[in-house]
């Protein structure tokens, strides 16, 4: 039967091929020559980065990028493999090693601390160095590390966060919070011992630690007292407030901003997003928890990541000193954890659209734009599918059990469906990709992730680097001082003397000679 299958495959391959021009070797030679000439003509952009945009695809490993590229083309009636995504056009690329201090395969909080704060740390901890221990409050004190968002704010830039998750989630939280546990979203999530020892929840730190100009995402329920009805889902108990301390952080935030804005208005749905353009600073939480998957959102009620990115940039761009913006495609990761490849890939396509919008609204001569991921997933692309075959479809080959299988699979997760030594049929509309090992939620992967760069000093993002290198290179691109000035935190005071440029945290300092013209040539 396997021989029959192979014969059928070969016969079909005689009828299925790529575009006819690809059969001509001159097609590939011309394409290679064009790409080579573009590389030879490329000039290094050594300007000072007035703005930094960091696009973070949570869980967006290289396999995810490849599969999403094909999906994006197929969504436009193309075969997909030759599609060029926006992130594919970035001229500089490198690889980042993602391991945490204590684990080979990391989580989103330890990785965020690396690429945002320049310090690798332990699993499940936020904005602290590796001397802090997961869930142990007393180890947090004195081990806090600050992020590039704070460095940018201290330098007079506007700063913002856009995410498709709750704004208290691991990635956005690391820009402003210090916590021995990424799970301490509100005080209700904290053990009594941690509260007694003086630790505070992540939601409350959103108000107190750094003055953030734009915050767009989800997470309303962590900001309001327990039992407070959600204005959008008043009958859903899971969406109601969670706080046990009685604080209404949304109201507190609004009072803090009195006098700084002409008008405050809470935004619940997309019908009101036009108001963002008139408000600065702005706190917009569109859901009680995470935002909806892009495939499931109501466009008339739920903004896309492209729309929220545009609003953030338009607000932040008003500052003549520039801005730092973190844009997280956070639900790529959640689609993978559920072994729902279709959701993860559509989230990646939406994320790439947001990258395109960011480039459209900024000037590459003065804006450093990065696209990267925090970690990968146990996600594979396999099975010899024909050219142009649906990326969400099945391999033309069958398994030894004479059952079909999809070309996208997971090493572990909820897709383990073997019953009586038989795999399920894959024809179901709600099919979950097959997993080799049964788990309630699929795990992360440990391989390196890509970093793609364009704009001032983009050539710094090259080779194979530690993930913590990212924060240092971003800071240098925006400061370009001949020597760096470290933050004199409790942790850094205890470190041995280091040569100029080899310290763990930097201030974003635009040199005096560049204050009037932030796009002036940078030191190299």
């Amino acid at each position: 039967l396997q021989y029959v299958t192979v014969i059928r495959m070969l016969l079909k391959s005689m009828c299925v091929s790529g575009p006819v021009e690809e059969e001509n070797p001159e097609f590939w030679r011309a394409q290679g020559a064009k790409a080579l000439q573009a590389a030879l003509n490329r000039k290094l952009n050594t300007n000072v980065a007035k703005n930094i945009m960091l696009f973070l695809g949570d869980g967006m490993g290289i396999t995810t990028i490849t599969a999403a590229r094909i999906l994006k083309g197929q969504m436009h009636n193309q075969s997909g493999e030759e599609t060029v995504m926006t992130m594919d056009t970035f001229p500089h690329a490198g690889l980042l090693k993602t391991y945490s201090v204590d684990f080979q395969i990391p989580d989103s909080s330890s990785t965020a601390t690396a690429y945002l704060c320049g310090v690798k740390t332990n699993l499940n901890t936020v904005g602290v160095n590796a001397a802090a221990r997961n869930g142990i409050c007393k180890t947090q004190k004195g081990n806090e590390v600050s992020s590039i968002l704070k460095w940018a704010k201290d330098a007079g830039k506007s700063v913002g966060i856009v995410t498709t998750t709750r704004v208290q989630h691991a990635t956005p939280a690391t820009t402003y919070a210090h916590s021995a546990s990424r799970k301490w979203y509100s005080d209700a999530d904290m053990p009594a011992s941690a509260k007694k020892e003086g630790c505070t929840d992540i939601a409350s730190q959103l108000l107190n630690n750094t003055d953030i100009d734009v915050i767009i995402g989800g997470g309303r329920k962590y900001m309001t007292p327990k039992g407070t009805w959600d204005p959008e889902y008043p009958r859903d108990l899971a969406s109601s407030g969670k706080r046990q301390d009685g604080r209404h952080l949304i109201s507190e935030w609004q009072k803090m901003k009195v006098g700084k804005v002409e008008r405050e208005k809470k935004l619940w749905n997309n019908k009101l997003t036009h108001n963002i353009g008139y408000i600065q600073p702005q706190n917009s939480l569109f859901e009680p928890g995470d935002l909806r998957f892009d495939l499931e959102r109501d466009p008339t009620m739920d903004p896309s990541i492209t729309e929220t990115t545009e609003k953030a940039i338009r607000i932040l761009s008003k500052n003549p000193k520039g801005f730092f913006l973190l844009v997280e495609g956070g639900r790529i990761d959640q689609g993978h954890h559920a072994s729902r490849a279709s959701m993860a890939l559509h989230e990646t396509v939406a994320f790439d659209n947001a990258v395109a919008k960011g480039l459209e609204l900024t000037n590459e001569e003065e804006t450093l734009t990065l696209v990267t991921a925090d970690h990968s997933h146990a996600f594979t692309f396999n099975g010899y599918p024909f050219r142009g075959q649906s990326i969400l479809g099945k391999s033309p080959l069958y398994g030894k059990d004479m059952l079909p299988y999809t070309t996208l699979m997971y090493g572990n997760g909820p897709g383990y469906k073997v019953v009586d030594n038989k795999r399920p049929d894959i024809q179901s509309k709600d099919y979950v990709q097959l997993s080799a090992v049964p788990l309630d939620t699929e795990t992360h992967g440990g391989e390196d992730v890509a970093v793609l760069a364009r704009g001032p000093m983009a050539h710094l993002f090259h080779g194979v680097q530690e993930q913590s290198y990212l924060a240092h290179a971003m800071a240098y691109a925006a400061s370009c001082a001949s020597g760096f000035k470290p933050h004199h935190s409790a942790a850094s005071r205890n470190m041995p003397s280091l040569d100029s440029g080899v310290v763990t945290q930097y201030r974003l300092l635009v040199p005096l000679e560049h204050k009037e013209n932030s796009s002036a040539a940078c030191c190299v």
Side-chain angles (χ1 to χ4, degrees):
L1 289 175
Q2 276 290 345
Y3 286 119
V4 172
T5 301
V6 171
I7 291 172
R8 287 175 178 170
M9 179 179 173
L10 292 173
L11 288 172
K12 189 173 182 180
S13 69
M14 296 170 63
C15 304
V16 180
S17 63
V20 64
E21 63 267 21
E22 293 184 6
E23 297 177 7
N24 184 347
E26 289 305 315
F27 170 83
W28 299 106
R29 290 168 184 155
Q31 189 179 87
K34 183 178 179 181
L36 178 60
Q37 192 61 56
L40 292 170
N41 292 341
R42 186 177 301 138
K43 291 181 173 61
L44 297 184
N45 182 342
T46 57
N47 294 344
V48 173
K50 175 183 175 182
N51 311 312
I52 297 177
M53 296 191 298
L54 175 58
F55 287 87
L56 191 285
D58 196 321
M60 189 182 69
I62 292 176
T63 303
T64 300
I65 293 174
T66 303
R69 178 188 301 128
I70 295 172
L71 176 63
K72 188 168 188 174
Q74 292 179 347
M75 290 169 64
H76 293 88
N77 298 317
Q78 301 167 0
S79 66
E81 298 83 4
E82 72 288 346
T83 300
V84 178
M85 293 206 295
T86 298
M87 65 179 81
D88 293 337
T89 65
F90 283 43
H92 299 279
L95 294 174
L96 302 175
K97 296 186 282 186
T98 64
Y99 67 91
S100 66
V101 170
D102 54 348
F103 279 79
Q104 285 183 344
I105 297 179
D107 76 317
S108 294
S109 58
S110 59
T111 51
T113 303
Y115 62 76
L116 290 170
C117 305
V119 175
K120 285 210 171 191
T121 192
N122 297 322
L123 210 72
N124 293 327
T125 60
V126 172
V128 292
N129 63 42
R133 298 291 184 262
N134 178 22
I136 304 177
C137 171
K138 61 183 178 182
T139 66
Q140 177 182 314
K141 302 302 176 63
N143 291 315
E144 297 88 352
V145 291
S146 57
S147 77
I148 191 168
L149 179 140
K150 186 178 189 308
W151 308 344
K153 188 67 178 183
D154 289 346
K157 297 180 183 293
S158 292
V159 296
I161 302 166
V162 169
T163 181
T164 55
T165 67
R166 67 207 84 169
V167 298
Q168 304 86 359
H169 210 252
T171 301
T174 306
T175 63
Y176 60 84
H178 314 286
S179 180
S181 174
R182 60 175 287 183
K183 298 178 182 178
W184 293 348
Y185 302 125
S186 77
D187 65 321
D189 302 308
M190 299 178 66
S193 59
K195 297 177 189 176
K196 187 175 181 180
E197 291 170 358
C199 285
T200 56
D201 63 277
I202 292 170
S204 65
Q205 292 185 56
L206 176 60
L207 272 67
N208 300 330
N209 289 3
T210 303
D211 184 16
I212 303 174
D213 301 286
V214 176
I215 307 163
I216 304 177
R220 292 195 296 257
K221 63 184 179 181
Y222 305 109
M223 309 286 281
T224 56
K226 183 176 181 180
T228 303
W229 290 357
D230 186 85
E232 192 174 3
Y233 310 104
R235 297 183 179 181
D236 182 14
L237 289 178
S239 299
S240 63
K242 304 299 180 187
R243 302 195 64 83
Q244 294 178 342
D245 58 7
R247 294 179 65 185
H248 196 297
L249 298 183
I250 294 175
S251 296
E252 290 183 27
W253 185 90
Q254 291 173 335
K255 291 176 182 178
M256 287 168 56
K257 303 302 178 183
V258 170
K260 293 186 178 181
V261 294
E262 296 180 2
R263 179 177 60 175
E264 297 286 350
K265 187 162 187 175
K266 195 70 200 145
L267 306 186
W268 305 117
N269 58 55
N270 201 32
K271 294 177 181 177
L272 298 175
T273 55
H274 65 278
N275 289 312
I276 294 179
Y278 302 104
I279 301 174
Q280 184 182 5
Q282 178 59 47
N283 178 353
S284 303
L285 306 182
F286 289 98
E287 289 290 330
D290 301 323
L291 272 59
R292 297 179 185 276
F293 281 114
D294 193 66
L295 272 182
E296 298 176 342
R297 70 181 179 88
D298 179 354
T300 67
M301 296 291 289
D302 306 308
S304 69
I305 188 173
T306 299
E307 292 172 311
T308 54
T309 297
E310 177 177 0
K311 295 299 182 182
I313 292 172
R314 292 195 183 280
I315 294 171
L316 297 175
S317 296
K318 296 176 182 178
N319 187 339
K321 292 185 177 181
F323 65 83
F324 171 83
L325 174 63
L326 169 66
V327 178
E328 183 199 21
R331 303 219 68 188
I332 300 170
D333 177 73
Q334 294 176 1
H336 279 317
H337 279 307
S339 293
R340 300 174 72 188
S342 177
M343 290 300 178
L345 298 187
H346 278 91
E347 289 295 304
T348 307
V349 171
F351 176 77
D352 191 63
N353 293 337
V355 174
K357 179 58 68 173
L359 296 181
E360 175 189 325
L361 297 173
T362 55
N363 180 354
E364 187 172 341
E365 289 302 303
E366 63 180 17
T367 303
L368 172 63
T369 304
L370 302 176
V371 177
T372 190
D374 46 1
H375 54 73
S376 184
H377 276 268
F379 184 51
T380 64
F381 181 19
N382 71 107
Y384 303 112
F386 294 111
R387 178 75 178 272
Q389 184 169 320
S390 170
I391 189 63
L392 298 171
K394 62 184 181 66
S395 168
L397 294 178
Y398 280 51
K400 289 178 68 176
D401 55 5
M402 295 313 300
L403 288 173
Y405 59 93
T406 55
T407 59
L408 299 177
M409 290 185 178
Y410 291 91
N412 57 58
Y416 182 89
K417 302 292 184 182
V418 176
V419 178
D420 295 330
N421 292 320
K422 286 197 67 176
R423 296 184 292 117
D425 196 339
I426 65 174
Q427 307 303 321
S428 168
K429 173 179 176 290
D430 299 318
Y431 179 77
V432 174
Q433 266 71 21
L434 190 69
S435 302
V437 176
L439 291 176
D440 290 335
T441 179
E442 177 264 359
T443 71
H444 296 166
E447 66 269 27
D448 299 349
V449 296
V451 55
L452 310 169
R454 65 190 304 164
M457 305 305 287
H459 55 282
L460 294 179
F461 302 89
H462 71 291
V464 181
Q465 307 286 351
E466 295 287 357
Q467 197 169 34
S468 50
Y469 170 77
L470 211 65
H472 302 283
M474 284 190 289
Y476 185 80
S479 65
C480 255
S482 58
F484 295 114
K485 296 184 179 180
H487 285 293
H488 296 293
S489 64
S492 63
R493 283 196 297 269
N494 296 328
M495 294 184 63
S497 177
L498 299 174
D499 292 337
S500 175
V502 193
V503 290
T504 56
Q505 298 180 67
Y506 309 133
R507 288 194 185 277
L508 280 170
L509 294 174
V510 177
L512 292 175
E513 62 268 29
H514 298 322
K515 278 189 175 179
E516 297 303 319
N517 180 13
S518 64
S519 64
C522 179
C523 51
V524 279

